[in-house]
Amino acid sequence: MADNKIPYKIYLEESEMPKAWYNVRADMKNKPAPLLNPATLKPMTAEELGHVFCDELVAQELNDTDAYIEIPEEIRSFYRMYRPSPLVRAYCLEKKLGTPAKIYYKFEGNNTSGSHKLNSAIAQAYYAKKQGLKGVTTETGAGQWGTALSMACAYLDLDCKVYMVKVSYEQKPFRREVMRTYGASVTPSPSETTEVGRKILQEHPGTTGSLGCAISEAVEAATTHEGYRYVLGSVLNQVLLHQSVIGLETQAALKKYDIKPDIIIGCAGGGSNLGGLISPFMGENLRGEANYKFIAVEPASCPSLTRGKFAYDFCDTGKVCPLAKMYSLGSGFIPSPNHAGGLRYHGMSSILSQLYHDGLMEARSVEQTAVFEAAEQFARVEGILPAPESSHAIRVAIDEALKCKETGEEKTIVFGLTGTGYFDMVAYEKFNNGEMSDYIPTDEDLKPGFDSLPKVD
Ligand SMILES: *Cc1c(COP(=O)(O)O)cnc(C)c1O
């Protein structure tokens, strides 16, 4: 039965937007393991991290104790340009599925970058500006993070150097041009502009690049240019902190109508949107106030949580970054070339890895044709053309709703709709032409990645 008191879209007033981010580490009994210096295998100090990251972001990265960290007014005023984002009741999808479940999604695609990544991009650019830096460097894969960061840098008048995975640089020229329109310089990676890039090109001539490789180049560019620091769009504790704005708004919107979710679902690449969405709810669970079920959804072709090892690993191919303890497929892992749905990072946020390891969150892997089927079904009834990444969450939300149809349970399902898929039409084209296939890596395929894990534990 439709609950007709609840509007199709629940909006918050500007005055109801969060004034502080929520730091779930404060409520975690087992804290995420610290980043290690790859040379000494000792925890990275604030001073060491300060060579790579902005000072304020280093403090946030290392802060395991403060539950709330104030959002500076300048960031809040940027947020007001595209936030609060709506929490949508998927009445049309519920009807189409014939399910008694109540489905809600938090939509983060209503900004030019087309995803949630802008929430952290503006924060990171702000702290760089505040420190008096000239600019920032970063990597981008499909291009969403690079786009978000170039928007934030344009707003604050900061220089932005983006290393873009070569295959995406060539296949996604429109993303590249959006970044350049916002004033960023975009270099295909691996490139001749860095030592690590030249080394990778020498060892793997003709390589089309990877995220891990672009990270190495961006870090080198930051540490060799005076007045620059490196910024990263996912995985790190600070990024999950900034993304908690998603979960806090969701929590406030649900509270307005006294809605209690049963299941909260998000797609997981490096873990930032999922971590941000679930953090405040996880906090309730950790404090014994609630018992929500959380599901992380990842591609079967890049299954870091469901098949990875929980171990210290390199964050990048060039092994210049600190080591992070996480569920990982090994920094040498590269997904099969037919994989089209994004979420291709080899590791996972240390916070989410620890929560998963402690049994506080579930994980599921899904095959890409099933993901695009869900995307298409969703687009046709809810109107929004979802990003392939987001569609992983849609898949599992639909699966859970169909289970409710069988059992007659009226569960409340919330999922994160992280962005739109207008720049992913090549992948949609493959699906529409029936040319998309599934590939699940064998244990044999995963072995070289695992062999690349450093021996730390
Ligand atoms: C980058 C991205 C993701 C995955 O990144 P996380 O850090 O795991 O959230 C998901 N959806 C969209 C639209 C993205 O751009």
Side-chain angles (χ1 to χ4, degrees):
M1 270 218 320
D3 187 347
N4 52 23
K5 270 201 296 230
I6 294 168
Y8 189 87
K9 282 190 180 128
I10 306 178
Y11 277 108
L12 297 176
E13 302 293 330
E14 271 182 19
S15 59
E16 295 171 302
M17 284 172 65
K19 296 188 174 58
W21 292 300
Y22 169 67
N23 179 11
V24 70
R25 286 169 283 168
D27 283 310
M28 288 170 70
K29 218 182 277 155
N30 298 327
K31 308 291 180 196
L35 295 168
L36 298 187
N37 181 320
T40 62
L41 300 183
K42 296 242 166 64
M44 292 287 288
T45 62
E47 202 222 321
E48 287 169 327
L49 285 168
H51 298 304
V52 180
F53 300 112
C54 309
D55 299 341
E56 192 67 34
L57 293 168
V58 169
Q60 293 180 359
E61 193 61 30
L62 298 175
N63 188 336
D64 280 352
T65 48
D66 293 326
Y68 289 94
I69 293 173
E70 195 189 321
I71 308 175
E73 178 49 36
E74 202 161 348
I75 298 176
R76 295 182 64 225
S77 82
F78 186 88
Y79 279 170
R80 276 185 215 109
M81 286 199 281
Y82 67 101
R83 309 198 69 83
S85 72
L87 181 72
V88 184
R89 172 77 182 267
Y91 282 120
C92 305
L93 180 63
E94 289 169 19
K95 192 167 160 215
K96 181 80 184 172
L97 297 173
T99 176
K102 300 174 170 69
I103 308 173
Y104 295 85
Y105 57 90
K106 178 72 168 164
F107 181 47
E108 291 291 319
N110 266 336
N111 66 75
T112 295
S113 76
S115 83
H116 65 284
K117 293 202 170 69
L118 198 53
N119 301 331
S120 184
I122 185 61
Q124 297 194 46
Y126 168 82
Y127 291 117
K129 185 76 186 180
K130 202 175 139 205
Q131 197 174 320
L133 298 174
K134 282 187 219 151
V136 291
T137 71
T138 199
E139 76 295 329
T140 198
Q144 291 98 317
W145 168 245
T147 310
L149 188 68
S150 51
M151 287 174 71
C153 286
Y155 181 75
L156 294 167
D157 200 17
L158 268 179
D159 185 42
C160 179
K161 297 185 196 301
V162 180
Y163 286 84
M164 185 171 189
V165 177
K166 192 183 272 167
V167 61
S168 304
Y169 182 89
E170 283 158 5
Q171 288 179 358
K172 301 201 170 181
F174 293 158
R175 276 257 181 236
R176 187 179 79 208
E177 288 317 312
V178 178
M179 287 184 255
R180 294 180 60 212
T181 301
Y182 280 96
S185 71
V186 189
T187 307
S189 165
S191 75
E192 298 281 351
T193 66
T194 64
E195 202 170 303
V196 65
R198 288 190 291 273
K199 183 161 165 258
I200 291 167
L201 280 172
Q202 218 165 45
E203 286 168 12
H204 308 277
T207 176
T208 53
S210 69
L211 256 189
C213 170
I215 295 175
S216 305
E217 289 206 87
V219 171
E220 183 183 319
T223 51
T224 53
H225 286 82
E226 181 70 34
Y228 282 77
R229 291 293 185 281
Y230 168 70
V231 295
L232 179 62
S234 185
V235 185
L236 296 173
N237 298 339
Q238 55 188 274
V239 185
L240 268 72
L241 175 74
H242 306 147
Q243 294 297 356
S244 70
V245 68
I246 303 173
L248 291 163
E249 282 185 9
T250 304
Q251 200 179 36
L254 290 172
K255 245 184 217 144
K256 268 193 156 178
Y257 290 88
D258 212 13
I259 304 161
K260 278 252 171 256
D262 296 294
I263 310 174
I264 305 175
I265 300 166
C267 64
S272 74
N273 87 83
L274 176 68
L277 172 66
I278 71 173
S279 276
F281 298 96
M282 181 64 80
E284 290 183 49
N285 275 16
L286 291 168
R287 295 188 303 268
E289 299 161 8
N291 189 23
Y292 308 114
K293 171 167 151 169
F294 305 105
I295 308 176
V297 191
E298 60 185 14
S301 46
C302 191
S304 45
L305 282 169
T306 52
R307 291 175 71 196
K309 295 208 156 84
F310 188 41
Y312 268 104
D313 191 15
F314 297 102
C315 296
D316 62 323
T317 315
K319 307 182 178 179
V320 298
C321 290
L323 301 176
K325 188 166 181 189
M326 55 187 177
Y327 276 86
S328 179
L329 298 165
S331 61
F333 175 81
I334 294 174
S336 137
N338 80 348
H339 174 65
L343 309 173
R344 42 174 58 243
Y345 188 62
H346 65 273
M348 184 58 62
S349 133
S350 290
I351 294 176
L352 290 184
S353 292
Q354 188 64 48
L355 292 168
Y356 178 63
H357 191 70
D358 291 340
L360 298 163
M361 178 182 89
E362 296 177 22
R364 226 170 269 177
S365 73
V366 289
E367 294 177 36
Q368 62 178 354
T369 52
V371 167
F372 279 83
E373 272 164 28
E376 204 171 80
Q377 191 169 19
F378 181 84
R380 288 178 189 182
V381 292
E382 289 291 323
I384 296 168
L385 182 87
E389 292 90 344
S390 323
S391 306
H392 288 72
I394 300 177
R395 174 72 270 162
V396 169
I398 290 178
D399 290 346
E400 289 296 316
L402 290 175
K403 268 189 218 161
C404 289
K405 186 176 175 176
E406 272 172 36
T407 61
E409 286 172 288
E410 293 185 27
K411 285 190 181 163
T412 297
I413 300 168
V414 175
F415 72 90
L417 188 70
T418 49
T420 47
Y422 306 123
F423 289 105
D424 300 286
M425 297 325 289
V426 173
Y428 273 95
E429 180 186 26
K430 263 196 195 138
F431 176 72
N432 290 332
N433 288 344
E435 290 160 0
M436 181 174 279
S437 58
D438 294 311
Y439 185 77
I440 301 181
T442 62
D443 290 343
E444 196 73 358
D445 294 333
L446 295 182
K447 193 170 176 299
F450 291 143
D451 289 345
S452 73
L453 287 170
K455 309 274 173 288
V456 177
D457 289 350

PDB file of all heavy atoms in Angstrom, residues 114-117 144-145 233-235 267-274 343 387 389-390 418-420, ligand 1:
ATOM      1  N   GLY A 114      28.014  15.592 -11.878  1.00  0.00           N
ATOM      2  CA  GLY A 114      27.160  14.424 -12.034  1.00  0.00           C
ATOM      3  C   GLY A 114      27.294  13.364 -10.967  1.00  0.00           C
ATOM      4  O   GLY A 114      26.791  12.254 -11.130  1.00  0.00           O
ATOM      5  N   SER A 115      27.983  13.678  -9.858  1.00  0.00           N
ATOM      6  CA  SER A 115      28.101  12.673  -8.805  1.00  0.00           C
ATOM      7  C   SER A 115      28.311  13.318  -7.440  1.00  0.00           C
ATOM      8  O   SER A 115      28.444  14.544  -7.317  1.00  0.00           O
ATOM      9  CB  SER A 115      29.252  11.709  -9.089  1.00  0.00           C
ATOM     10  OG  SER A 115      30.481  12.272  -8.661  1.00  0.00           O
ATOM     11  N   HIS A 116      28.402  12.440  -6.430  1.00  0.00           N
ATOM     12  CA  HIS A 116      28.615  12.878  -5.048  1.00  0.00           C
ATOM     13  C   HIS A 116      30.016  13.448  -4.836  1.00  0.00           C
ATOM     14  O   HIS A 116      30.295  14.025  -3.798  1.00  0.00           O
ATOM     15  CB  HIS A 116      28.422  11.674  -4.123  1.00  0.00           C
ATOM     16  CG  HIS A 116      29.451  10.604  -4.326  1.00  0.00           C
ATOM     17  ND1 HIS A 116      29.417   9.740  -5.408  1.00  0.00           N
ATOM     18  CD2 HIS A 116      30.573  10.283  -3.637  1.00  0.00           C
ATOM     19  CE1 HIS A 116      30.462   8.928  -5.346  1.00  0.00           C
ATOM     20  NE2 HIS A 116      31.177   9.240  -4.286  1.00  0.00           N
ATOM     21  N   LYS A 117      30.932  13.254  -5.782  1.00  0.00           N
ATOM     22  CA  LYS A 117      32.345  13.580  -5.532  1.00  0.00           C
ATOM     23  C   LYS A 117      32.591  15.051  -5.216  1.00  0.00           C
ATOM     24  O   LYS A 117      33.557  15.394  -4.554  1.00  0.00           O
ATOM     25  CB  LYS A 117      33.199  13.119  -6.712  1.00  0.00           C
ATOM     26  CG  LYS A 117      33.213  11.592  -6.823  1.00  0.00           C
ATOM     27  CD  LYS A 117      34.404  11.097  -7.585  1.00  0.00           C
ATOM     28  CE  LYS A 117      34.546   9.591  -7.497  1.00  0.00           C
ATOM     29  NZ  LYS A 117      33.471   8.882  -8.238  1.00  0.00           N
ATOM     30  N   GLN A 144      34.831  11.451 -13.202  1.00  0.00           N
ATOM     31  CA  GLN A 144      33.921  12.176 -12.300  1.00  0.00           C
ATOM     32  C   GLN A 144      34.686  12.962 -11.240  1.00  0.00           C
ATOM     33  O   GLN A 144      34.349  14.098 -10.933  1.00  0.00           O
ATOM     34  CB  GLN A 144      32.954  11.217 -11.576  1.00  0.00           C
ATOM     35  CG  GLN A 144      31.930  10.573 -12.464  1.00  0.00           C
ATOM     36  CD  GLN A 144      32.353   9.187 -12.879  1.00  0.00           C
ATOM     37  OE1 GLN A 144      33.508   8.959 -13.226  1.00  0.00           O
ATOM     38  NE2 GLN A 144      31.440   8.250 -12.849  1.00  0.00           N
ATOM     39  N   TRP A 145      35.696  12.348 -10.656  1.00  0.00           N
ATOM     40  CA  TRP A 145      36.443  13.032  -9.607  1.00  0.00           C
ATOM     41  C   TRP A 145      37.205  14.230 -10.179  1.00  0.00           C
ATOM     42  O   TRP A 145      37.183  15.317  -9.617  1.00  0.00           O
ATOM     43  CB  TRP A 145      37.399  12.058  -8.902  1.00  0.00           C
ATOM     44  CG  TRP A 145      38.401  12.761  -8.022  1.00  0.00           C
ATOM     45  CD1 TRP A 145      39.747  12.797  -8.185  1.00  0.00           C
ATOM     46  CD2 TRP A 145      38.122  13.545  -6.837  1.00  0.00           C
ATOM     47  NE1 TRP A 145      40.330  13.549  -7.191  1.00  0.00           N
ATOM     48  CE2 TRP A 145      39.354  14.024  -6.359  1.00  0.00           C
ATOM     49  CE3 TRP A 145      36.950  13.906  -6.174  1.00  0.00           C
ATOM     50  CZ2 TRP A 145      39.458  14.825  -5.223  1.00  0.00           C
ATOM     51  CZ3 TRP A 145      37.053  14.715  -5.043  1.00  0.00           C
ATOM     52  CH2 TRP A 145      38.291  15.160  -4.580  1.00  0.00           C
ATOM     53  N   GLY A 233      40.084  11.322  -4.331  1.00  0.00           N
ATOM     54  CA  GLY A 233      38.627  11.432  -4.338  1.00  0.00           C
ATOM     55  C   GLY A 233      37.868  10.354  -3.601  1.00  0.00           C
ATOM     56  O   GLY A 233      36.640  10.389  -3.525  1.00  0.00           O
ATOM     57  N   SER A 234      38.571   9.364  -3.048  1.00  0.00           N
ATOM     58  CA  SER A 234      37.873   8.275  -2.353  1.00  0.00           C
ATOM     59  C   SER A 234      38.830   7.634  -1.354  1.00  0.00           C
ATOM     60  O   SER A 234      39.910   8.180  -1.093  1.00  0.00           O
ATOM     61  CB  SER A 234      37.381   7.252  -3.381  1.00  0.00           C
ATOM     62  OG  SER A 234      36.605   6.257  -2.747  1.00  0.00           O
ATOM     63  N   VAL A 235      38.453   6.503  -0.810  1.00  0.00           N
ATOM     64  CA  VAL A 235      39.306   5.623   0.007  1.00  0.00           C
ATOM     65  C   VAL A 235      39.722   6.208   1.367  1.00  0.00           C
ATOM     66  O   VAL A 235      39.585   5.556   2.396  1.00  0.00           O
ATOM     67  CB  VAL A 235      40.585   5.158  -0.753  1.00  0.00           C
ATOM     68  CG1 VAL A 235      41.368   4.157   0.073  1.00  0.00           C
ATOM     69  CG2 VAL A 235      40.225   4.555  -2.100  1.00  0.00           C
ATOM     70  N   CYS A 267      26.760   1.426  -3.556  1.00  0.00           N
ATOM     71  CA  CYS A 267      27.803   0.814  -4.362  1.00  0.00           C
ATOM     72  C   CYS A 267      29.148   1.159  -3.727  1.00  0.00           C
ATOM     73  O   CYS A 267      29.280   2.157  -3.026  1.00  0.00           O
ATOM     74  CB  CYS A 267      27.733   1.314  -5.802  1.00  0.00           C
ATOM     75  SG  CYS A 267      28.053   3.081  -6.005  1.00  0.00           S
ATOM     76  N   ALA A 268      30.136   0.295  -3.973  1.00  0.00           N
ATOM     77  CA  ALA A 268      31.437   0.504  -3.334  1.00  0.00           C
ATOM     78  C   ALA A 268      32.561   0.381  -4.344  1.00  0.00           C
ATOM     79  O   ALA A 268      32.794  -0.689  -4.908  1.00  0.00           O
ATOM     80  CB  ALA A 268      31.626  -0.490  -2.199  1.00  0.00           C
ATOM     81  N   GLY A 269      33.238   1.515  -4.594  1.00  0.00           N
ATOM     82  CA  GLY A 269      34.451   1.517  -5.411  1.00  0.00           C
ATOM     83  C   GLY A 269      35.616   1.614  -4.444  1.00  0.00           C
ATOM     84  O   GLY A 269      36.227   0.626  -4.058  1.00  0.00           O
ATOM     85  N   GLY A 270      35.903   2.851  -3.992  1.00  0.00           N
ATOM     86  CA  GLY A 270      36.861   3.033  -2.906  1.00  0.00           C
ATOM     87  C   GLY A 270      36.148   3.181  -1.576  1.00  0.00           C
ATOM     88  O   GLY A 270      36.767   3.180  -0.519  1.00  0.00           O
ATOM     89  N   GLY A 271      34.818   3.336  -1.637  1.00  0.00           N
ATOM     90  CA  GLY A 271      34.011   3.321  -0.418  1.00  0.00           C
ATOM     91  C   GLY A 271      33.511   4.669   0.065  1.00  0.00           C
ATOM     92  O   GLY A 271      32.887   4.731   1.132  1.00  0.00           O
ATOM     93  N   SER A 272      33.725   5.766  -0.711  1.00  0.00           N
ATOM     94  CA  SER A 272      33.392   7.071  -0.125  1.00  0.00           C
ATOM     95  C   SER A 272      31.895   7.361  -0.058  1.00  0.00           C
ATOM     96  O   SER A 272      31.410   7.868   0.947  1.00  0.00           O
ATOM     97  CB  SER A 272      34.125   8.190  -0.847  1.00  0.00           C
ATOM     98  OG  SER A 272      33.581   8.445  -2.117  1.00  0.00           O
ATOM     99  N   ASN A 273      31.147   7.035  -1.123  1.00  0.00           N
ATOM    100  CA  ASN A 273      29.707   7.345  -1.042  1.00  0.00           C
ATOM    101  C   ASN A 273      29.022   6.426  -0.051  1.00  0.00           C
ATOM    102  O   ASN A 273      28.188   6.851   0.737  1.00  0.00           O
ATOM    103  CB  ASN A 273      29.041   7.286  -2.431  1.00  0.00           C
ATOM    104  CG  ASN A 273      28.558   5.892  -2.804  1.00  0.00           C
ATOM    105  OD1 ASN A 273      27.463   5.486  -2.407  1.00  0.00           O
ATOM    106  ND2 ASN A 273      29.364   5.128  -3.522  1.00  0.00           N
ATOM    107  N   LEU A 274      29.403   5.155  -0.073  1.00  0.00           N
ATOM    108  CA  LEU A 274      28.797   4.196   0.849  1.00  0.00           C
ATOM    109  C   LEU A 274      29.135   4.584   2.294  1.00  0.00           C
ATOM    110  O   LEU A 274      28.254   4.645   3.158  1.00  0.00           O
ATOM    111  CB  LEU A 274      29.290   2.778   0.548  1.00  0.00           C
ATOM    112  CG  LEU A 274      28.793   1.713   1.524  1.00  0.00           C
ATOM    113  CD1 LEU A 274      27.294   1.494   1.372  1.00  0.00           C
ATOM    114  CD2 LEU A 274      29.533   0.396   1.330  1.00  0.00           C
ATOM    115  N   LEU A 343      33.911   1.373 -10.672  1.00  0.00           N
ATOM    116  CA  LEU A 343      34.224   0.722  -9.388  1.00  0.00           C
ATOM    117  C   LEU A 343      35.387  -0.254  -9.538  1.00  0.00           C
ATOM    118  O   LEU A 343      35.329  -1.376  -9.060  1.00  0.00           O
ATOM    119  CB  LEU A 343      32.992  -0.027  -8.830  1.00  0.00           C
ATOM    120  CG  LEU A 343      31.680   0.750  -8.740  1.00  0.00           C
ATOM    121  CD1 LEU A 343      30.533  -0.175  -8.328  1.00  0.00           C
ATOM    122  CD2 LEU A 343      31.788   1.918  -7.767  1.00  0.00           C
ATOM    123  N   ALA A 387      24.236   6.431 -13.336  1.00  0.00           N
ATOM    124  CA  ALA A 387      25.612   6.035 -13.635  1.00  0.00           C
ATOM    125  C   ALA A 387      25.711   4.517 -13.453  1.00  0.00           C
ATOM    126  O   ALA A 387      25.035   3.953 -12.593  1.00  0.00           O
ATOM    127  CB  ALA A 387      26.576   6.733 -12.679  1.00  0.00           C
ATOM    128  N   GLU A 389      27.997   2.904 -12.024  1.00  0.00           N
ATOM    129  CA  GLU A 389      28.426   2.653 -10.638  1.00  0.00           C
ATOM    130  C   GLU A 389      27.209   2.601  -9.713  1.00  0.00           C
ATOM    131  O   GLU A 389      27.027   1.654  -8.950  1.00  0.00           O
ATOM    132  CB  GLU A 389      29.369   3.765 -10.151  1.00  0.00           C
ATOM    133  CG  GLU A 389      30.727   3.811 -10.829  1.00  0.00           C
ATOM    134  CD  GLU A 389      30.745   4.691 -12.075  1.00  0.00           C
ATOM    135  OE1 GLU A 389      29.660   5.030 -12.593  1.00  0.00           O
ATOM    136  OE2 GLU A 389      31.863   5.030 -12.535  1.00  0.00           O
ATOM    137  N   SER A 390      26.381   3.640  -9.812  1.00  0.00           N
ATOM    138  CA  SER A 390      25.190   3.726  -8.959  1.00  0.00           C
ATOM    139  C   SER A 390      24.273   2.531  -9.173  1.00  0.00           C
ATOM    140  O   SER A 390      23.561   2.101  -8.253  1.00  0.00           O
ATOM    141  CB  SER A 390      24.381   4.984  -9.287  1.00  0.00           C
ATOM    142  OG  SER A 390      25.199   6.072  -9.605  1.00  0.00           O
ATOM    143  N   THR A 418      24.275   7.562  -6.696  1.00  0.00           N
ATOM    144  CA  THR A 418      25.416   8.469  -6.625  1.00  0.00           C
ATOM    145  C   THR A 418      25.547   9.416  -7.801  1.00  0.00           C
ATOM    146  O   THR A 418      26.180  10.452  -7.678  1.00  0.00           O
ATOM    147  CB  THR A 418      26.724   7.679  -6.501  1.00  0.00           C
ATOM    148  OG1 THR A 418      26.730   6.655  -7.519  1.00  0.00           O
ATOM    149  CG2 THR A 418      26.837   7.023  -5.149  1.00  0.00           C
ATOM    150  N   GLY A 419      24.982   9.058  -8.960  1.00  0.00           N
ATOM    151  CA  GLY A 419      25.165   9.981 -10.074  1.00  0.00           C
ATOM    152  C   GLY A 419      24.453   9.576 -11.342  1.00  0.00           C
ATOM    153  O   GLY A 419      23.785   8.541 -11.418  1.00  0.00           O
ATOM    154  N   THR A 420      24.645  10.432 -12.367  1.00  0.00           N
ATOM    155  CA  THR A 420      24.017  10.193 -13.664  1.00  0.00           C
ATOM    156  C   THR A 420      25.025   9.587 -14.643  1.00  0.00           C
ATOM    157  O   THR A 420      26.233   9.699 -14.457  1.00  0.00           O
ATOM    158  CB  THR A 420      23.501  11.525 -14.245  1.00  0.00           C
ATOM    159  OG1 THR A 420      24.526  12.502 -14.113  1.00  0.00           O
ATOM    160  CG2 THR A 420      22.262  11.982 -13.513  1.00  0.00           C
TER     161      THR A 420
HETATM  162  C1  LIG B   1      33.344   7.543  -8.144  1.00  0.00           C
HETATM  163  C2  LIG B   1      31.953   7.099  -8.160  1.00  0.00           C
HETATM  164  C3  LIG B   1      31.528   5.992  -7.395  1.00  0.00           C
HETATM  165  C4  LIG B   1      32.439   5.136  -6.580  1.00  0.00           C
HETATM  166  O1  LIG B   1      33.273   5.755  -5.667  1.00  0.00           O
HETATM  167  P1  LIG B   1      33.138   5.563  -4.092  1.00  0.00           P
HETATM  168  O2  LIG B   1      34.304   6.269  -3.544  1.00  0.00           O
HETATM  169  O3  LIG B   1      33.155   4.087  -3.821  1.00  0.00           O
HETATM  170  O4  LIG B   1      31.862   6.175  -3.700  1.00  0.00           O
HETATM  171  C5  LIG B   1      30.189   5.665  -7.423  1.00  0.00           C
HETATM  172  N1  LIG B   1      29.305   6.335  -8.179  1.00  0.00           N
HETATM  173  C6  LIG B   1      29.676   7.394  -8.927  1.00  0.00           C
HETATM  174  C7  LIG B   1      28.646   8.087  -9.754  1.00  0.00           C
HETATM  175  C8  LIG B   1      31.000   7.804  -8.941  1.00  0.00           C
HETATM  176  O5  LIG B   1      31.357   8.858  -9.687  1.00  0.00           O
END
